[in-house]
């Protein structure tokens, strides 16, 4: 009898995996449908951003950060994943009314879909980042084995925010505008293009409270300093993410009863 | 361990208890913005609700086909959605065991820019299959849809009928334990429609529980074992198809030609009867009085388990003498039928005359478990086709018992202990 229950759970897990991959595949196909470059666009967007910042803070107002190309590219790519996942996830429920109305469809999967989907863009760009770091520094440390862990923590943190936003957006369409402004501010409050040590004295506290600055720091520690990241800081980020996640899922579950009527 | 055995056995069954779902009445200046919500917080009472469904209780056994009838807005589709797990009830519980398949808004899930093949996988996985299960069935689904030549073209290029065929082919091949159908059977051309019906018959024969919402009475009659009749979000009747359909038909008729509402004089008890709420029928023959009598011949509402109960029914034919059958049923508050008896089945011919008559049905022992019950009384034509007068759950009574137990029956009993040497 227990076997029967287990088989059911295994089947459910397989189904969730298939559902996730089919829906992500759909999103990719639709996004790059009839486009020459396809997924290449996911590289071009951060690359163009990289060029702008390289020009601005490498030549016009030199910030004097060592290995600035690697520094910038890691910042831009990490932020691209976080930013587009958060703004995409906030409309993940409202954008899929036909799925929400389908009997038996697990709505909880919708924010996951966006976070993982955007994560794939990041993974596609990751070899480029590692290559750039290699050229820039001449060496790659063994510490890159810690990258998947950092990515996982970033995914958990992003997902926790996504649940809150996705649920809120169903009731209040302002959420998207508010989230976009918040994301723009957060972009500048995260040391994407500047050196956190330079502002540490005056704004260190603000950065310290920003989970994304710790996550980003971890990527750079691995790629530029070539050592393992500060696992204590990452642990704290993970812990905070878990708390937000529990809250986010709670909000999402509470609101999801009304999704059908609100759409 | 125990629980999983129970669940395994109940796969395909549905149990709905005290279900209620309310909806906010949407005003034009609906608070869609944060600002409006903050402003509205101070005068929150502006939110008004109506109950789309209330006090809905019923059980569906595995492999049964249940039709849901009712006028538009009676709550049929809401009920179907809730059973499908879309939205959550505000009151009561729904227990659904097994995988649900749904033929609702069939082509809504299609993605125009993907090919037919990609859509089959997408729809199948969304409907609850794993990729492998879709793969295994792909050829069958393709054959069913008759879209072999077009399967690798984008769905954007399909006609409406082709889209329907594709979506339907997937939907009827997911091997559900419970299938929800909402009036979508009228899709495609006649041959494809016939094919769909055949396929649903096949699913039915495989022991799938089917829940069918339809306005087409003939379709319900052809397919269903039981019918659930909803009105204004409440259950009017739930039972055998022919009888419930007759009730529905009479309710629809009286709606078209409103008859004078005559409340019967209630004797003893305090039933409140209201036309088309708990009273239905043509009134060619009318129930004029109903009393529940104890063994002492006095009207009562409380009985002891194992006591005798007599139900005395007065009736009269409005115009000419008519042959009728008289039915008495006892229900629990959650809608479970405890017993149902009728005169015809008992071989008692009854001819209602223009003068008032009474008939007694006497239960020598009412071995029901303690609790509250309702009696429903009905007078029908011999063939069930016409409802003359039906009082649904109009006569409440309680049974008190000394022993506590579960279930509906409490026959005289004792425990005997014995030593085995």
């Amino acid at each position: 009898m227990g076997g029967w229950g287990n088989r059911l759970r295994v089947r459910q897990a397989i189904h969730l995996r298939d559902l996730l991959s089919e829906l992500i595949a759909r999103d990719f196909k639709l996004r790059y449908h009839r486009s020459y470059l396809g997924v290449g666009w996911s590289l071009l967007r951060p690359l163009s951003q990289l060029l702008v910042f390289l020009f601005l803070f490498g030549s016009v107002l030199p910030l004097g950060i060592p290995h600035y190309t690697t520094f910038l590219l890691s910042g831009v790519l990490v932020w691209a994943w976080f930013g587009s996942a958060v703004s995409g996830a906030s409309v993940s429920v409202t954008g899929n009314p036909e799925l929400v109305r389908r009997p038996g469809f697990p709505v909880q999967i919708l924010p996951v879909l966006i976070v993982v989907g955007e994560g794939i863009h990041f993974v596609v760009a990751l070899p480029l980042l590692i290559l750039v770091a290699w050229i820039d520094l001449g060496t790659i440390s063994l510490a890159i084995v810690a990258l998947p862990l950092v990515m996982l923590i970033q995914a958990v943190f992003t997902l926790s925010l996504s649940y809150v936003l996705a649920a809120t957006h169903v009731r209040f369409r302002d959420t998207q505008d508010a989230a976009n402004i918040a994301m723009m501010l957060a972009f500048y409050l995260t040391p994407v293009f500047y050196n956190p040590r330079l502002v540490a004295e005056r704004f260190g506290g603000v950065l310290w409270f920003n989970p994304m600055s710790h996550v980003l720091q971890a990527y750079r520690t691995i790629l530029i300093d070539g050592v393992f990241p500060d696992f204590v800081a990452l642990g704290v980020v993970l812990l905070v993410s878990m708390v937000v996640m529990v809250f986010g899922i709670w909000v999402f579950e509470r609101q999801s009863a009304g999704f059908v009527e609100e759409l | 361990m125990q629980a999983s055995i129970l669940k395994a056995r109940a796969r395909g069954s549905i149990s709905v208890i005290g279900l209620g779902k309310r909806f906010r009445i949407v005003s034009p200046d609906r608070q869609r913005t944060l600002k409006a919500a903050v402003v509205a917080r101070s005068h929150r009472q502006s939110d008004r609700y109506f109950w789309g469904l209330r006090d809905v209780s019923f059980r569906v056994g595995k492999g049964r086909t249940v039709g849901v009838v009712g006028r538009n807005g009676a709550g049929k589709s809401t009920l179907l959605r809730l059973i499908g797990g879309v939205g959550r009830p505000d009151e009561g519980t729904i227990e659904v065991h097994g995988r649900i398949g749904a033929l609702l808004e069939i082509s809504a899930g299609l993605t125009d820019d993907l090919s037919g093949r990609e859509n089959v996988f997408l729809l199948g996985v969304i409907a609850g299959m794993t990729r492998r299960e879709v793969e295994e069935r792909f050829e069958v689904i393709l054959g069913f849809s008759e879209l072999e030549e077009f399967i690798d073209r984008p769905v954007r290029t399909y006609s409406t009928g082709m889209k329907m065929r594709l979506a339907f082919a997937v939907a009827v091949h997911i091997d559900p334990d419970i299938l929800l159908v909402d009036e979508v059977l009228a899709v495609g051309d006649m041959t494809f429609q016939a094919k769909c019906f055949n396929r649903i018959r096949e699913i039915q024969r495989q022991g799938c529980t089917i829940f069918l919402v339809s306005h087409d009475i003939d379709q319900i009659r052809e397919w269903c074992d039981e019918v659930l009749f909803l009105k204004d979000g409440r259950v009017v009747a739930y039972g055998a198809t022919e009888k419930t359909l007759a009730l529905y038909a009479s309710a629809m008729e009286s709606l078209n030609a409103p008859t004078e509402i005559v409340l019967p004089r209630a004797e003893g008890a305090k039933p409140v009867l209201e036309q088309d709420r708990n009273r239905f029928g043509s009134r060619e023959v009318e129930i004029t009085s109903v009393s529940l009598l104890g063994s002492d011949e006095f009207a009562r509402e409380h009985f002891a388990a194992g006591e005798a109960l007599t139900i005395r029914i007065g009736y009269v034919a409005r115009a000419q003498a008519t042959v009728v059958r008289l039915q008495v049923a006892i229900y629990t508050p959650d809608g479970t039928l405890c017993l149902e008896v009728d005169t015809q089945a008992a071989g008692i011919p009854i001819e209602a005359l223009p003068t008032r008559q009474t008939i007694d049905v006497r239960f020598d022992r009412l071995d029901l478990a303690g609790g509250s019950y309702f009696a429903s009384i009905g007078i029908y034509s011999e063939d069930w086709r016409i409802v003359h007068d039906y009082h649904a759950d109009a006569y409440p009574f309680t049974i008190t018992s000394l022993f506590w137990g579960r279930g509906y029956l409490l026959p005289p009993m004792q425990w005997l202990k014995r030593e085995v040497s």
Side-chain angles (χ1 to χ4, degrees), chain B residues 287-357:
Chain B
I287 299 171
T288 52
S289 65
V290 172
S291 351
L292 309 185
L293 309 173
S295 43
D296 49 10
E297 292 275 308
F298 279 108
R300 288 201 263 151
E301 271 184 70
H302 306 286
F303 300 86
E307 207 184 348
L309 164 71
T310 301
I311 300 180
R312 181 162 296 162
I313 303 155
Y315 57 96
V316 65
R318 277 266 164 254
Q320 77 266 26
T322 317
V323 178
V324 296
R325 70 196 303 170
L326 221 134
Q327 185 197 57
V328 172
I330 293 174
Y331 288 93
T332 63
D334 71 7
T336 304
L337 177 63
C338 297
L339 69 91
E340 190 178 81
V341 292
D342 77 82
T343 50
Q344 190 96 347
I348 314 278
I350 299 209
E351 192 175 25
L353 302 171
T355 55
R356 227 188 114 176
Q357 298 153 278

Side-chain angles (χ1 to χ4, degrees), chain B residues 367-419:
Chain B
D367 288 325
L368 287 174
S372 50
Y373 296 88
F374 294 93
S376 297
I377 316 289
I379 294 189
Y380 299 81
S381 66
E382 266 185 301
D383 58 1
W384 293 119
R385 290 274 173 149
I386 304 165
V387 187
H388 293 306
D389 197 0
Y390 177 65
H391 300 181
D393 291 350
Y395 305 97
F397 64 94
T398 59
I399 301 274
T400 51
S401 63
L402 282 177
F403 309 109
W404 183 83
R406 276 158 46 111
Y408 306 115
L409 275 183
L410 193 60
M413 58 160 288
Q414 51 195 308
W415 296 95
L416 296 174
K417 248 177 32 173
R418 207 167 286 166
E419 302 288 328

Side-chain angles (χ1 to χ4, degrees), chain A residues 1-9, chain B residues 1-13 97-98:
Chain A
M1 271 301 142
W4 182 80
N6 273 341
R7 231 177 310 141
L8 201 70
R9 262 190 294 279
Chain B
M1 195 72 173
Q2 190 74 23
S4 82
I5 290 170
L6 286 175
K7 268 193 190 143
R9 198 170 289 158
R11 227 167 141 72
S13 65
H97 304 285

